[in-house]
Amino acid sequence: LISDVINIDKSFETEEIKTKKDKNKKTHSDQDRISINVSGLRFETLKSTLAFYPNTLLGNEERRKYFYDSIHNEYFFDRHRACFDAILYYYQSNGRLRRPNFISIDTFLEEITFFDLGEQALAQAREEENLTELKKISLPRNRFRRYLWATLEHPEFSFIAKCVRILSVFVVLLSTIALAIESLPEYKNLNNDTSRNDNSQQILIKINQTNNTDQLLIVKSNYQNYFSSSFVIIQTVCIIYFTLELILRIISMPSLYGFIKSFMNWIDILSLLPYYIGIVIFFINEGSHSHSKAQSALQLLRILRFVRVFKFYRIFRNIKAIRVLAITLTESFVDFIILAAILTLLGFVFGAILYYIENDVNGTQFNSIFTATYWGIITITTVGYGDLAPVTPGGRMIGCFCAVSGTGTIAMLTSILVDRYQRVYNRRMYIKRQKIHFDDV
């Protein structure tokens, strides 16, 4: 990690400073030593050490004297004691600022500001903690649109906004559960029965091509059978709600560019398209699903319907734990890529070795290095489907090494993610979200 790399140049500068201090050690008198009392915890350092940063509170003698206690001959600060270790180390190490893990980021920033370490120290802390300044939330200028946007996007805005959010959770859950139940075998058979009825009805239409009345009755029957289905009714109600929600969000959006740039808005659009396209195909085919092209198109659309599961993120993104997890995964994206590359490389190496060991004895299973690489990746991730297995002693030994190396590699990534999650959580836990001021323009 970049934050864990030590700045070598600063280390050399620190050593030079220490060398100069050691050379002048004999010249230091008691007058150069300074005592600092931070809420009862005493620290001692040299005035010359603090003088390296004369623009700071401790480095400037004129500013420092207001905290001098002549009775105890020390400087007293009623501040955070644990933070002062890092503050004093900033002077001693020539500008290296490190926040202790057990101190929250907001407290640490307050101490940096109080002792006036300067913009350079604040910039260093922001870089180490990956902090960004809060951007002001843009609001629509129209009062009604502003109220509508806040109600849809921020459940903490009002009681009505909370009710809208609860309703959204219910509708998304209902839609997702209906999609899952529809995939059960007993309900899939209903679709097959409908398809067979469509085929028989198509035959009747061909027989009675001259009888327009019969054809209209069959088409009407198809429509009635389709729209009387419980699943179609549930999906229609949910789609109407999602459509209304999307239209209101488009009407109340503060910025068209921001709306287009938002990934979740595209998820909302993709979750609606399958239903409307499916309805159009259904009416074009006069209520029949028997056409091969229509069936393949509807099959693809059924897959796209599950995109609406991602709407849960829009609903639950205001929960702090979800936000922290999302930020952690985003910041750890490079680590995931590195892990995937390492696991793939290790799987290829172990698979290639196993191929040459097992090919003569177990060539039907390990018939190529690609097949052996598949086995290596499955084994190294400790999944172990069991469809491929070595039978020779050497192959089994390689399998053991492969599984153990995978466990160690994944454990290292897990420790990195846990550490990063803790860092992100610590800096997000005490940072309050920007409040929405309804009267802002």
Side-chain angles (χ1 to χ4, degrees):
L1 300 175
I2 296 175
S3 61
D4 295 330
V5 177
I6 298 176
N7 192 322
I8 302 298
D9 294 334
K10 283 195 173 184
S11 298
F12 283 129
E13 291 176 6
T14 304
E15 291 298 327
E16 291 177 2
I17 293 170
K18 288 182 178 179
T19 304
K20 291 179 181 178
K21 289 180 180 180
D22 291 338
K23 289 180 179 179
N24 300 325
K25 192 173 182 180
K26 295 182 179 179
T27 62
H28 291 316
S29 62
D30 292 338
Q31 293 180 350
D32 191 38
R33 183 176 296 180
I34 182 174
S35 296
I36 302 174
N37 186 335
V38 181
S39 298
L41 185 62
R42 283 185 172 79
F43 297 85
E44 287 191 357
T45 186
L46 301 174
K47 292 180 181 179
S48 56
T49 301
L50 303 178
F52 279 109
Y53 295 94
N55 295 325
T56 62
L57 175 60
L58 296 177
N60 190 310
E61 191 172 356
E62 290 297 319
R63 298 172 61 186
R64 192 175 64 219
K65 68 180 182 180
Y66 293 105
F67 300 90
Y68 182 69
D69 183 1
S70 57
I71 299 176
H72 298 90
N73 191 27
E74 62 185 14
Y75 293 89
F76 179 80
F77 295 93
D78 188 17
R79 305 297 302 179
H80 197 285
R81 293 185 295 180
C83 279
F84 194 76
D85 278 324
I87 300 295
L88 185 58
Y89 181 71
Y90 180 78
Y91 292 90
Q92 295 169 338
S93 62
N94 193 31
R96 288 168 56 190
L97 193 61
R98 296 289 183 269
R99 177 182 67 86
N101 291 329
F102 56 89
I103 296 176
S104 61
I105 183 62
D106 63 325
T107 302
F108 192 61
L109 292 176
E110 286 176 2
E111 296 303 304
I112 293 174
T113 304
F114 174 81
F115 288 102
D116 196 13
L117 298 186
E119 286 298 325
Q120 185 177 358
L122 285 172
Q124 187 181 155
R126 292 192 190 102
E127 183 180 358
E128 291 286 339
E129 303 294 338
N130 196 19
L131 294 175
T132 55
E133 293 184 5
L134 287 175
K135 295 181 180 178
K136 185 179 179 180
I137 298 176
S138 58
L139 298 170
R141 292 183 176 276
N142 181 271
R143 186 178 180 85
F144 173 74
R145 289 175 57 219
R146 193 184 318 156
Y147 180 86
L148 190 60
W149 177 82
T151 302
L152 291 172
E153 292 292 330
H154 296 272
E156 71 276 8
F157 174 70
S158 65
F159 176 76
I160 297 177
K162 290 183 177 66
C163 294
V164 170
R165 184 54 53 94
I166 293 172
L167 180 61
S168 297
V169 172
F170 174 76
V171 174
V172 174
L173 276 174
L174 180 63
S175 175
T176 306
I177 293 172
L179 286 175
I181 294 176
E182 193 177 359
S183 65
L184 292 173
E186 52 267 31
Y187 296 109
K188 289 179 69 176
N189 293 334
L190 291 178
N191 294 330
N192 295 333
D193 294 340
T194 303
S195 180
R196 284 194 292 268
N197 292 335
D198 290 340
N199 291 330
S200 62
Q201 290 163 0
Q202 288 292 325
I203 295 172
L204 288 173
I205 289 174
K206 290 179 180 178
I207 295 173
N208 302 301
Q209 287 179 350
T210 56
N211 193 337
N212 293 330
T213 305
D214 291 343
Q215 185 175 352
L216 290 174
L217 289 174
I218 292 172
V219 172
K220 184 178 179 181
S221 175
N222 287 341
Y223 291 156
Q224 289 177 347
N225 291 335
Y226 180 76
F227 287 105
S228 63
S229 171
S230 302
F231 295 111
V232 174
I233 294 173
I234 292 173
Q235 293 301 326
T236 301
V237 171
C238 294
I239 289 297
I240 290 173
Y241 177 82
F242 293 147
T243 305
L244 179 62
E245 184 185 39
L246 180 63
I247 292 172
L248 292 177
R249 190 173 285 112
I250 293 174
I251 293 174
S252 61
M253 61 182 176
S255 168
L256 178 62
Y257 174 74
F259 181 86
I260 295 174
K261 190 174 66 173
S262 174
F263 174 75
M264 292 309 303
N265 290 330
W266 289 104
I267 291 294
D268 291 342
I269 295 173
L270 284 177
S271 66
L272 296 175
L273 286 179
Y275 177 84
Y276 289 112
I277 295 175
I279 289 293
V280 171
I281 293 175
F282 181 76
F283 279 103
I284 289 175
N285 292 321
E286 296 182 338
S288 173
H289 294 302
S290 61
H291 294 78
S292 59
K293 291 184 179 180
Q295 285 182 341
S296 59
L298 289 173
Q299 189 67 26
L300 177 62
L301 292 175
R302 288 191 186 100
I303 297 173
L304 289 177
R305 286 191 302 175
F306 283 93
V307 172
R308 70 186 65 167
V309 174
F310 291 100
K311 290 175 70 69
F312 279 111
Y313 177 73
R314 179 188 289 279
I315 295 172
F316 296 117
R317 65 182 176 179
N318 293 306
I319 300 176
K320 184 172 292 186
I322 300 295
R323 293 201 310 271
V324 170
L325 180 60
I327 295 169
T328 304
L329 294 177
T330 302
E331 293 185 3
S332 305
F333 180 75
V334 176
D335 296 321
F336 279 116
I337 297 298
I338 293 173
L339 174 74
I342 292 174
L343 292 179
T344 303
L345 180 60
L346 288 175
F348 177 79
V349 170
F350 283 112
I353 296 172
L354 190 75
Y355 168 76
Y356 288 109
I357 294 175
E358 294 279 326
N359 188 37
D360 295 335
V361 180
N362 195 15
T364 55
Q365 284 193 330
F366 296 95
N367 53 11
S368 68
I369 291 181
F370 291 107
T371 304
T373 301
Y374 159 77
W375 168 87
I377 295 175
I378 295 302
T379 303
I380 210 168
T381 54
T382 66
V383 176
Y385 289 126
D387 53 343
L388 298 175
V391 296
T392 63
R396 290 173 177 173
M397 188 177 297
I398 292 298
C400 292
F401 282 121
C402 182
V404 171
S405 62
T407 304
T409 305
I410 295 174
M412 285 190 293
L413 176 76
T414 304
S415 64
I416 292 173
L417 290 178
V418 169
D419 178 69
R420 184 163 292 179
Y421 181 88
Q422 190 63 42
R423 288 174 177 268
V424 173
Y425 184 79
N426 285 338
R427 74 168 179 257
R428 294 281 172 178
M429 184 176 180
Y430 299 101
I431 297 177
K432 295 181 179 179
R433 298 190 68 193
Q434 185 176 350
K435 292 184 179 180
I436 302 174
H437 298 286
F438 182 74
D439 296 328
D440 288 352
V441 178

